[in-house]
Amino acid sequence: MSEQGLLTPGSFRAAGTVDDRAVADAMVRVELAWVRALAHVGAVDADRADRILASCADWTPDLAAIGAATEAAGNPVVPLLTALREQLAPADAAVIHRGLTSQDVLDTALILLSADALTRVRADLGAACAALARLADAHRGSVMAGRTLTQYAVPITFGLKAAQWLAALLEASDEISAILATLPVQCGGAAGTLSLAGELTADPVALAEALAGELGLTWPGLPWHTERRAVTRIGDALVATCDALGHLGADVATLSRPEIGELREAAVAGRGGSSTMPHKQNPILSVLIRSAAMQAPQLGAQLHLAAALAVDERPDGAWHSEWSALRRLLELTVTAASQAAELAAGLQVDVDRMRARATGAAADLLAERGTDGDGDPAAYLGVSQTFVDTVLARLPGGGPDHA
Amino acid sequence: MSEQGLLTPGSFRAAGTVDDRAVADAMVRVELAWVRALAHVGAVDADRADRILASCADWTPDLAAIGAATEAAGNPVVPLLTALREQLAPADAAVIHRGLTSQDVLDTALILLSADALTRVRADLGAACAALARLADAHRGSVMAGRTLTQYAVPITFGLKAAQWLAALLEASDEISAILATLPVQCGGAAGTLSLAGELTADPVALAEALAGELGLTWPGLPWHTERRAVTRIGDALVATCDALGHLGADVATLSRPEIGELREAAVAGRGGSSTMPHKQNPILSVLIRSAAMQAPQLGAQLHLAAALAVDERPDGAWHSEWSALRRLLELTVTAASQAAELAAGLQVDVDRMRARATGAAADLLAERGTDGDGDPAAYLGVSQTFVDTVLARLPGGGPDHA
Amino acid sequence: MSEQGLLTPGSFRAAGTVDDRAVADAMVRVELAWVRALAHVGAVDADRADRILASCADWTPDLAAIGAATEAAGNPVVPLLTALREQLAPADAAVIHRGLTSQDVLDTALILLSADALTRVRADLGAACAALARLADAHRGSVMAGRTLTQYAVPITFGLKAAQWLAALLEASDEISAILATLPVQCGGAAGTLSLAGELTADPVALAEALAGELGLTWPGLPWHTERRAVTRIGDALVATCDALGHLGADVATLSRPEIGELREAAVAGRGGSSTMPHKQNPILSVLIRSAAMQAPQLGAQLHLAAALAVDERPDGAWHSEWSALRRLLELTVTAASQAAELAAGLQVDVDRMRARATGAAADLLAERGTDGDGDPAAYLGVSQTFVDTVLARLPGGGPDHA
Amino acid sequence: MSEQGLLTPGSFRAAGTVDDRAVADAMVRVELAWVRALAHVGAVDADRADRILASCADWTPDLAAIGAATEAAGNPVVPLLTALREQLAPADAAVIHRGLTSQDVLDTALILLSADALTRVRADLGAACAALARLADAHRGSVMAGRTLTQYAVPITFGLKAAQWLAALLEASDEISAILATLPVQCGGAAGTLSLAGELTADPVALAEALAGELGLTWPGLPWHTERRAVTRIGDALVATCDALGHLGADVATLSRPEIGELREAAVAGRGGSSTMPHKQNPILSVLIRSAAMQAPQLGAQLHLAAALAVDERPDGAWHSEWSALRRLLELTVTAASQAAELAAGLQVDVDRMRARATGAAADLLAERGTDGDGDPAAYLGVSQTFVDTVLARLPGGGPDHA
């Protein structure tokens, strides 16, 4: 969470995912996995590796000290290493990190954080999808006005609207699953040749694979210090998730306007109030989800820009410009997905108001038809039902959960 | 091409891909495919359909007239339709477009343009990859200094550098292929229910599928008027392509600095000169490719932003904010990929200078090793060879083309 | 206009401002002003200068030829120069451009285009302000619901709302005026030292000042090839203008929703219709203005990014990444300002509906007050009147024009 | 500082400026200034006001509690208020915040933070300018190669290069000063009418002015809840500052490349080292400054986007999307300006290497001249001296400080 969350409402939902403690812990995890990987390929004695791992088992990095020294080192790995080595006898200390470069450690640590965050996002998308599926199914006959460019179009059902939100979240979830299945370890050494690792073992690629295995990541075949699609792919999926959530948030916020009043967030004591107006019930989850969707594209662009400006074997600033944006994008999406799950689960639908409005606006809603129908918007719904079915069939279980 | 290309150097390489003529032609193609689809499902007589298609076969839209009327309509489909219908007898004119909404036509038209542009990009990436594969293979033993954060790191080979560029372009190409295989038709009618289409045929979904089939696109199961992942996925892949090209451009530009002089763009008469300095040989393709990479992230963010701000069944401005950005991003990437293919094919490598520098900087390049080696950078290349092999094995044919 | 405007609705409003013809004409204007400046300081005979100017007076650059050669040169100045020199005897041709670098010419040309575009924007802002001032004044007593986070807040007047829009446009206009007063010429020669100019005259700075004078620009004291605040300042002002217009567009679009119906764009035959729904009256100007506001920030960021990535005496791609973004941002803002002037002039205000809604929602609108008032929203308007007066007093003439 | 700074190297330089503690303190400061302002206009007894102020004098908000409740309230003001009121007797508690809205408090608090951050930035720009002025003056005769599009252009002096950096920083500093002089208070009440304030005093505008006076801010004449130029102007100036710093950083990084070696950051024990390569001396300040410059444009765009998407009297998410971006942009610029001051003060200039290279490349550097000169680059410097003088004359004291 961005500190205590005063300027990032709801970031408590991402607590422990991307804060400096999580970063430091992940870096330690990578360094220790490297020790195990070295032992695995025989580059370090098993006894020594065990001793190192035991010595570090309870160690907690001093974040303030590492943070203060990050600038001089250019990244947090160097000061973390210094502190980590102080836990060990000199001969053991020399083993730690040997063969890696700072970027191997930090990139892999950020991948581990991303894995955690993406897993959380996917779980919340799953919860949101379950709730939306129930809404889509329950409201497949709930007629409402379709609206385009702010004006009445033809009738739709609220079930179809929920199904459209659902389709987008299912797609986002699938994309995240695909990414989670192939998150790569970073392992290249000083300039991407595994040069020093090659002094430690005859098969440094096996060592890289062992590192990946220790961390539950994949070995992508070669390092990616300057080819950042692994990072931008995560970013793109997160932004796309926020895009999908943004439509949900905007629709709920719009349909919660008092003049429309067809949807309403669940009333929660103390939520959505005003500092001055006692009657206020702001659609605060929708507003915050929408706000997240407004922020994500710039953060995703920052990751691409870092990728676009890579140069040499490791670049002169582009890599550094990734860190803060990736962290914020992870936090933002974890938060928004959690808010969306809650929003979807509690959404109040005013079916009567929807129908009354559709009936009142029937002349407009049926104008396209251009014939004398019976004037009932419910008789002009096209394949709304089919589309609802199409989306529900995409659910992991093949349909909505009615439990 | 952005007009004549005075402010978009090299956009002649994208001529005919995304200009207004291409947009209009694609819209006509969609409208006529719809007529054929209507005939296919029996909603229109085959005779009538043939007559309509014949009447429009040689028709060329008046771009100036359509452009001038685009604002009032909010999009170019309405004025195009008006003009198109004037080619037909009234009864036939009424058939055209019936059941579609403007967004169906423009979205599908932009997908068709994207298909063309992505196909061009992939072809040029293929050419660039072939050239880079030859370089990677030929220079697997060409030692050079590795550089990180601008300073000497450990030795690498130029073959490995070329292989890293190649790996990124192969990945971009694969991504584009995956997208090309699933480009979706847009077909939803006024508010995404196929309402009017449902008046024309018992199975409007079959009609939508027929439209997709006529255009060589896929039917995604439901319309995506407000769920824009189809567009942002194209955008993300284009930006990622430019990112990958950006690293290539930056490396060539840097290594072409006269103080380094290890690479050089092919000399082409009249290229890279100066308006005032006769000796100048600017690495102009690299500079322009790099410039494209600096522009793409903002354009991709624009597409995501449009997706994030969707509301209702069709939104109040977000959709409109996509068009210009998508067009420019397509043009930019087609141009940059073409430039990169030419750059890679003609790249001049000064192996002697690379080796001399590596030898001169051996003390630095070998400092990591920390032992008394023989002082030869070529003896400290880690698994550079293996990584080159790994990348070459990913080539479609399984290896570089030595023809 | 972006070609014929099929994907840039309303860009006919910016016709001739930023297209390739305007770019070429401005470059010629700069080159000829340089000839006059050279004559002014005595570096060229007045006769020769007159002869050159006479020879070029009727010359029209061949845009297609220049565009095709722009890539090889890296910018359009070199091919333009080649063509321009062909109009002249060799001895005269050698005078043209001598002492300048390409960037001097193109930067100055883009400043000239900016001057034209900013002047147009300011005129349209002036028209919009006049209309909004009349609305603010006329509706200072028109009570309506205030809305925050989509929900009812306390009552306001429509006059105050119009005054807030007006205040923002007045500020944008003032900022544009300040920029117009100090638009700088670019004049530095090959690397910003006026090296070759120094061979032509004893006082090259006077020559630069003369160039500025010829073009109605200011001489900023030194060249700004790599210090791009002159460009980003224009960009920031344009984006801020679009921001201000965006609020106007969003408010009108929202208040035009049929469920609210308090505002309405002027009905114009053929505008805002649908390709399928005959009743539709989309608030198309608002939608397009809002769409512009969604696009401007990314374009402004592109200009800053180019500025941030400058290196050396002239950079390796950053400069090139400015051109297309600046052009598009100018076009977009000229278009949006013109649309806003028309929107404001024709805005339909439904005072009865405003009042009826405010009365109906009085319980909510007056909840803040927390006392038993008379239940009349018009009695709880705070200093709405004063704020209207404050804004009207900022008008150039000190008040609204009631003519 | 973003937590401990592990992912924001050097953010300790901004410690206390923008963290949650600073946000909370500033909000308290605004709430208490409001009490004083109420007393000032006689809306609250002086005794009561003193008692309130005394009761809150030593109060420290519990950030964790406030942060946790921020989401439900939609902003941190509501929970802060609740906690603040618990410090007071009920009758006094009712006075606190009365007449304000949450946005008044948070906007003003963020302006106070901005004031602090801008003041720090200006001070560091001043230090950087002093150092650059000394360099510009000392090296007005230090010939070096000019470089454009990566290649040799004509000769320049290092003094001129330093003067160009200086000119940009002076301009940024002037802009910041102008902004600091007019930072506005936010004061509008629930919907920008000062409705409730109007119940407390006959002249609510005087109350708003009193609030501004208490906080050392200006009263802009009306509230700006949805007209965000005050925020985007701060953002634009910060981005422009980072742009200017980016050129400095890029030039130092480039000229520190070992093959060029004309500049070098001051050696500082422990700085710029590598986790694996003992010889490494990375130009880490330059790299981090450059990285900041790559990040600022997206953050500035976020602020504009929030401004562009305003709607109603207070918007549905746009405002919320400002906070995190503004905070990060402030932190980033404070950090980068401080790093730049240190970089400039310690910059090592290798005059001999500059001259040797210029001499070695004389044929290229003098090619423009096109005549047989004496082959001395120092004889072809144009008005480099004049330009240095021009910039130095802009220094506040009218020249460099030689102390």
Side-chain angles (χ1 to χ4, degrees):
Chain A
M1 145 166 70
S2 294
E3 303 193 59
Q4 306 294 337
L6 270 68
L7 299 187
T8 51
S11 58
F12 65 82
R13 295 170 185 267
T17 316
V18 293
D19 56 18
D20 275 356
R21 175 64 59 204
V23 173
D25 288 350
M27 291 193 295
V28 172
R29 208 176 137 204
V30 176
E31 296 286 6
L32 298 184
W34 181 246
V35 172
R36 286 196 299 274
L38 287 168
H40 181 81
V41 301
V44 164
D45 284 349
D47 282 358
R48 183 188 293 275
D50 289 345
R51 195 169 61 232
I52 292 172
L53 296 169
S55 300
C56 298
D58 299 326
W59 182 64
T60 303
D62 175 350
L63 298 183
I66 294 170
T70 290
E71 179 190 81
N75 66 63
V77 178
V78 177
L80 179 103
L81 259 180
T82 304
L84 184 56
R85 284 175 172 147
E86 286 168 3
Q87 312 308 310
L88 302 170
D92 293 349
V95 167
I96 292 272
H97 188 76
R98 188 157 174 80
L100 294 178
T101 193
S102 300
Q103 190 170 350
D104 292 334
V105 178
L106 187 52
D107 273 350
T108 304
L110 292 176
I111 290 290
L112 292 173
L113 263 62
S114 299
D116 181 24
L118 288 166
T119 303
R120 291 190 191 208
V121 169
R122 186 174 54 175
D124 278 320
L125 290 180
C129 285
L132 293 178
R134 283 189 295 269
L135 289 170
D137 190 39
H139 292 284
R140 47 173 71 235
S142 302
V143 181
M144 69 184 292
R147 296 168 176 95
T148 62
L149 289 89
T150 74
Q151 304 300 301
Y152 293 136
V154 296
I156 62 168
T157 64
F158 179 64
L160 177 57
K161 183 176 273 289
Q164 281 283 8
W165 298 333
L166 172 58
L169 296 197
L170 285 170
E171 192 164 356
S173 179
D174 285 350
E175 227 173 297
I176 288 171
S177 288
I179 288 174
L180 278 168
T182 58
L183 285 174
V185 78
Q186 177 67 281
C187 190
T193 63
L194 289 174
S195 51
L196 192 54
E199 307 283 300
L200 307 176
T201 176
D203 186 357
V205 170
L207 182 55
E209 287 170 334
L211 178 65
E214 293 286 346
L215 294 166
L217 301 174
T218 63
W219 163 243
L222 68 167
W224 40 279
H225 292 147
T226 53
E227 308 293 352
R228 309 300 290 173
R229 190 60 180 133
V231 175
T232 60
R233 185 173 291 124
I234 293 169
D236 291 345
L238 293 168
V239 178
T241 300
C242 288
D243 294 345
L245 298 174
H247 183 208
L248 168 63
D251 272 359
V252 175
T254 298
L255 298 176
S256 299
R257 283 186 175 269
E259 302 89 344
I260 301 180
E262 302 181 3
L263 292 180
R264 195 179 181 85
E265 293 192 10
V268 173
R271 180 185 286 167
S274 153
S275 68
T276 171
M277 293 170 286
H279 71 288
K280 268 277 205 170
Q281 191 61 37
N282 293 320
I284 200 65
L285 292 179
S286 308
V287 163
L288 293 176
I289 289 167
R290 202 165 130 60
S291 168
M294 292 174 188
Q295 296 173 61
Q298 280 64 41
L299 294 165
Q302 183 62 54
L303 298 180
H304 275 293
L305 198 58
L309 295 173
V311 68
D312 294 336
E313 276 57 67
R314 287 193 282 125
D316 54 347
W319 178 50
H320 307 75
S321 73
E322 264 180 16
W323 310 340
S324 172
L326 176 59
R327 185 210 322 238
R328 177 71 184 131
L329 183 53
L330 290 167
E331 178 188 64
L332 196 67
T333 314
V334 169
T335 300
S338 170
Q339 291 168 332
E342 188 171 338
L343 172 65
L347 198 62
Q348 307 295 308
V349 186
D350 191 332
V351 179
D352 295 337
R353 203 152 174 191
M354 287 176 173
R355 186 181 314 116
R357 174 157 293 110
T359 305
D364 281 355
L365 294 172
L366 300 175
E368 177 191 61
R369 203 171 193 178
T371 58
D372 297 309
D374 60 1
D376 180 5
Y380 194 57
L381 291 168
V383 293
S384 297
Q385 287 269 14
T386 308
F387 285 160
V388 170
D389 292 336
T390 299
V391 179
L392 291 179
R394 291 179 189 174
L395 284 172
D401 166 22
H402 292 279
Chain B
M1 154 164 61
S2 293
E3 302 195 60
Q4 306 295 336
L6 270 68
L7 298 187
T8 51
S11 58
F12 64 82
R13 295 170 184 267
T17 317
V18 293
D19 56 18
D20 275 356
R21 175 62 59 202
V23 173
D25 287 349
M27 292 193 295
V28 172
R29 209 176 136 203
V30 176
E31 296 286 7
L32 298 184
W34 181 247
V35 173
R36 286 195 300 273
L38 287 168
H40 180 81
V41 301
V44 165
D45 284 348
D47 283 359
R48 184 190 292 275
D50 289 346
R51 193 169 63 232
I52 292 173
L53 296 169
S55 300
C56 299
D58 299 326
W59 182 64
T60 302
D62 175 349
L63 299 183
I66 294 169
T70 290
E71 179 189 81
N75 65 62
V77 178
V78 177
L80 179 102
L81 260 180
T82 305
L84 183 55
R85 283 174 172 146
E86 287 168 3
Q87 312 308 309
L88 303 170
D92 293 348
V95 168
I96 290 273
H97 187 78
R98 188 158 176 79
L100 294 178
T101 193
S102 300
Q103 189 170 350
D104 293 334
V105 178
L106 186 53
D107 273 350
T108 304
L110 292 176
I111 291 290
L112 292 173
L113 263 61
S114 298
D116 181 23
L118 288 166
T119 303
R120 290 191 190 206
V121 169
R122 186 173 55 174
D124 278 320
L125 289 180
C129 285
L132 293 179
R134 283 190 294 270
L135 288 170
D137 190 40
H139 292 284
R140 44 172 73 234
S142 302
V143 182
M144 68 185 292
R147 296 169 176 95
T148 63
L149 288 89
T150 72
Q151 304 298 302
Y152 293 136
V154 296
I156 62 168
T157 63
F158 178 65
L160 176 58
K161 183 176 272 289
Q164 281 283 9
W165 297 334
L166 172 58
L169 296 196
L170 285 171
E171 192 164 356
S173 179
D174 286 351
E175 229 173 295
I176 289 172
S177 288
I179 288 173
L180 278 169
T182 58
L183 286 173
V185 78
Q186 176 69 282
C187 188
T193 63
L194 290 173
S195 51
L196 192 54
E199 307 284 301
L200 307 176
T201 175
D203 185 357
V205 171
L207 181 54
E209 288 170 333
L211 178 64
E214 292 286 347
L215 293 167
L217 301 175
T218 63
W219 163 243
L222 67 167
W224 41 280
H225 292 147
T226 54
E227 310 291 353
R228 309 299 288 172
R229 190 61 180 132
V231 175
T232 60
R233 186 172 290 124
I234 293 169
D236 291 344
L238 294 169
V239 178
T241 299
C242 288
D243 294 344
L245 297 175
H247 183 207
L248 168 63
D251 272 358
V252 175
T254 299
L255 298 177
S256 299
R257 283 186 176 268
E259 301 89 344
I260 301 180
E262 301 181 2
L263 293 180
R264 196 180 179 84
E265 292 191 9
V268 172
R271 180 185 287 166
S274 154
S275 69
T276 170
M277 293 170 287
H279 71 287
K280 269 277 207 171
Q281 190 64 35
N282 292 321
I284 200 64
L285 292 178
S286 308
V287 163
L288 293 176
I289 290 167
R290 201 164 131 61
S291 168
M294 292 174 188
Q295 296 173 61
Q298 279 64 41
L299 295 165
Q302 183 61 54
L303 298 180
H304 276 293
L305 198 59
L309 295 172
V311 69
D312 294 336
E313 277 57 69
R314 287 193 284 125
D316 55 346
W319 178 51
H320 306 75
S321 72
E322 264 180 16
W323 311 338
S324 171
L326 177 59
R327 181 200 338 226
R328 177 70 184 131
L329 182 54
L330 290 167
E331 178 188 63
L332 196 67
T333 313
V334 169
T335 301
S338 170
Q339 291 168 331
E342 188 172 337
L343 172 65
L347 197 62
Q348 308 294 309
V349 186
D350 191 332
V351 180
D352 295 337
R353 203 153 172 188
M354 288 177 173
R355 187 180 313 116
R357 174 157 292 109
T359 304
D364 280 356
L365 294 172
L366 300 175
E368 177 191 62
R369 204 173 193 177
T371 57
D372 297 310
D374 59 1
D376 179 6
Y380 194 57
L381 291 168
V383 294
S384 298
Q385 286 268 14
T386 308
F387 286 161
V388 170
D389 291 336
T390 299
V391 179
L392 292 180
R394 291 179 187 173
L395 285 172
D401 166 21
H402 292 278
Chain C
M1 147 165 67
S2 293
E3 302 194 60
Q4 306 294 336
L6 269 70
L7 299 187
T8 52
S11 58
F12 65 82
R13 295 170 184 267
T17 316
V18 293
D19 56 17
D20 274 355
R21 174 64 59 204
V23 173
D25 287 351
M27 291 194 295
V28 171
R29 208 175 137 204
V30 176
E31 296 285 7
L32 298 184
W34 181 246
V35 173
R36 287 196 299 273
L38 287 168
H40 181 79
V41 301
V44 164
D45 283 351
D47 283 359
R48 183 189 293 275
D50 288 346
R51 194 169 62 231
I52 292 173
L53 296 169
S55 299
C56 300
D58 299 327
W59 182 65
T60 302
D62 175 350
L63 298 182
I66 293 169
T70 290
E71 178 189 83
N75 66 62
V77 178
V78 177
L80 179 103
L81 259 180
T82 304
L84 184 54
R85 284 176 172 145
E86 287 169 0
Q87 312 308 310
L88 302 170
D92 293 349
V95 167
I96 292 271
H97 188 76
R98 186 157 177 79
L100 294 177
T101 192
S102 300
Q103 190 170 351
D104 292 334
V105 178
L106 187 52
D107 273 351
T108 304
L110 291 176
I111 290 290
L112 292 173
L113 262 63
S114 298
D116 181 24
L118 288 166
T119 302
R120 291 190 190 207
V121 169
R122 186 173 55 174
D124 278 320
L125 290 180
C129 285
L132 294 178
R134 283 190 295 269
L135 289 170
D137 191 40
H139 292 283
R140 46 172 71 236
S142 302
V143 181
M144 68 185 292
R147 295 169 178 96
T148 62
L149 288 89
T150 71
Q151 303 299 301
Y152 293 137
V154 296
I156 63 169
T157 64
F158 178 64
L160 177 57
K161 183 177 272 288
Q164 281 282 10
W165 298 332
L166 172 58
L169 297 196
L170 285 170
E171 192 165 355
S173 180
D174 286 350
E175 227 173 296
I176 288 171
S177 289
I179 287 173
L180 278 169
T182 58
L183 285 173
V185 78
Q186 177 68 282
C187 189
T193 63
L194 289 173
S195 50
L196 192 54
E199 308 282 301
L200 308 176
T201 175
D203 186 357
V205 171
L207 181 55
E209 288 171 334
L211 178 64
E214 293 286 347
L215 293 167
L217 301 174
T218 63
W219 163 241
L222 66 168
W224 41 279
H225 292 147
T226 53
E227 309 291 353
R228 310 298 290 173
R229 190 61 180 132
V231 175
T232 60
R233 186 173 290 124
I234 293 170
D236 290 345
L238 293 169
V239 178
T241 299
C242 288
D243 294 345
L245 297 175
H247 184 207
L248 168 63
D251 272 359
V252 176
T254 299
L255 299 176
S256 299
R257 282 185 176 269
E259 301 90 344
I260 302 180
E262 301 181 2
L263 293 180
R264 195 179 179 84
E265 292 192 10
V268 171
R271 179 185 288 167
S274 153
S275 67
T276 170
M277 293 171 286
H279 72 288
K280 269 277 207 173
Q281 190 63 34
N282 293 320
I284 200 65
L285 292 179
S286 308
V287 163
L288 293 176
I289 289 167
R290 201 165 130 61
S291 168
M294 293 174 187
Q295 296 173 62
Q298 278 65 41
L299 295 165
Q302 183 62 54
L303 299 180
H304 275 293
L305 198 59
L309 295 173
V311 69
D312 294 335
E313 276 57 67
R314 288 192 283 127
D316 54 347
W319 178 50
H320 307 75
S321 73
E322 265 180 14
W323 311 339
S324 171
L326 176 59
R327 182 203 332 230
R328 176 71 184 130
L329 182 54
L330 290 166
E331 178 188 63
L332 196 66
T333 314
V334 169
T335 300
S338 170
Q339 290 168 332
E342 188 171 338
L343 172 66
L347 197 62
Q348 308 295 308
V349 186
D350 191 332
V351 179
D352 296 336
R353 202 153 174 189
M354 287 177 174
R355 188 182 311 115
R357 173 158 293 111
T359 304
D364 281 355
L365 295 172
L366 300 175
E368 177 191 61
R369 206 172 191 176
T371 58
D372 298 311
D374 58 2
D376 180 4
Y380 194 57
L381 290 168
V383 294
S384 298
Q385 287 268 13
T386 309
F387 287 160
V388 170
D389 291 336
T390 299
V391 179
L392 292 180
R394 291 179 188 173
L395 285 172
D401 166 19
H402 292 279
Chain D
M1 153 166 61
S2 293
E3 303 195 59
Q4 307 294 337
L6 269 69
L7 299 187
T8 52
S11 58
F12 64 82
R13 295 171 184 266
T17 317
V18 293
D19 55 20
D20 274 356
R21 175 63 59 201
V23 173
D25 288 350
M27 291 193 297
V28 172
R29 208 176 138 203
V30 176
E31 295 287 6
L32 298 184
W34 181 247
V35 173
R36 287 195 299 272
L38 286 167
H40 180 80
V41 302
V44 164
D45 284 350
D47 284 357
R48 183 189 292 274
D50 289 345
R51 195 169 60 232
I52 291 173
L53 296 169
S55 300
C56 299
D58 298 327
W59 182 64
T60 302
D62 175 349
L63 299 182
I66 294 169
T70 290
E71 179 189 83
N75 66 61
V77 178
V78 177
L80 180 102
L81 260 179
T82 304
L84 184 56
R85 284 177 172 144
E86 287 169 3
Q87 312 308 310
L88 302 170
D92 293 350
V95 169
I96 291 272
H97 188 77
R98 188 159 175 77
L100 294 178
T101 192
S102 300
Q103 190 170 351
D104 292 334
V105 178
L106 187 52
D107 273 351
T108 305
L110 291 176
I111 291 289
L112 291 174
L113 263 62
S114 299
D116 180 23
L118 288 166
T119 303
R120 290 190 190 208
V121 169
R122 187 175 53 175
D124 278 321
L125 290 180
C129 286
L132 293 178
R134 283 190 295 269
L135 288 171
D137 191 39
H139 292 284
R140 45 172 73 234
S142 302
V143 181
M144 68 186 291
R147 296 170 177 94
T148 62
L149 288 89
T150 72
Q151 304 299 301
Y152 293 136
V154 297
I156 63 169
T157 64
F158 178 64
L160 176 58
K161 182 176 274 287
Q164 281 283 9
W165 298 333
L166 173 58
L169 296 196
L170 285 170
E171 192 163 355
S173 180
D174 286 351
E175 228 173 296
I176 288 171
S177 288
I179 288 173
L180 278 168
T182 59
L183 285 174
V185 78
Q186 176 69 281
C187 189
T193 63
L194 289 173
S195 51
L196 192 54
E199 307 283 300
L200 307 176
T201 176
D203 186 356
V205 171
L207 182 55
E209 288 170 333
L211 178 64
E214 292 286 347
L215 293 167
L217 301 174
T218 63
W219 164 242
L222 67 167
W224 41 280
H225 292 146
T226 54
E227 309 292 353
R228 310 299 290 172
R229 190 61 180 132
V231 175
T232 60
R233 186 173 290 123
I234 293 170
D236 290 346
L238 293 169
V239 178
T241 299
C242 288
D243 294 345
L245 296 175
H247 184 207
L248 168 63
D251 272 358
V252 175
T254 299
L255 298 177
S256 299
R257 282 186 176 267
E259 302 89 344
I260 302 180
E262 301 181 4
L263 293 180
R264 194 179 181 85
E265 293 192 9
V268 172
R271 180 185 287 165
S274 153
S275 68
T276 170
M277 293 171 286
H279 72 288
K280 269 276 206 171
Q281 191 62 37
N282 292 322
I284 200 65
L285 292 178
S286 308
V287 162
L288 293 175
I289 290 167
R290 200 165 132 60
S291 168
M294 292 173 188
Q295 295 173 61
Q298 278 66 40
L299 295 165
Q302 184 61 54
L303 298 179
H304 276 293
L305 198 59
L309 295 173
V311 69
D312 294 334
E313 279 55 70
R314 287 195 282 127
D316 53 347
W319 178 50
H320 306 75
S321 73
E322 264 180 15
W323 311 339
S324 171
L326 176 59
R327 185 209 320 236
R328 177 71 185 130
L329 182 53
L330 290 168
E331 178 189 62
L332 195 66
T333 314
V334 169
T335 300
S338 170
Q339 291 168 331
E342 188 172 336
L343 172 66
L347 197 61
Q348 308 294 309
V349 186
D350 191 332
V351 180
D352 294 338
R353 203 153 172 190
M354 287 176 172
R355 187 180 315 116
R357 173 158 294 109
T359 304
D364 280 355
L365 295 172
L366 300 175
E368 177 191 62
R369 205 172 191 176
T371 58
D372 298 310
D374 58 2
D376 180 6
Y380 193 57
L381 291 168
V383 293
S384 298
Q385 286 270 13
T386 308
F387 286 161
V388 170
D389 290 338
T390 298
V391 179
L392 291 179
R394 292 179 188 175
L395 283 172
D401 166 20
H402 291 279

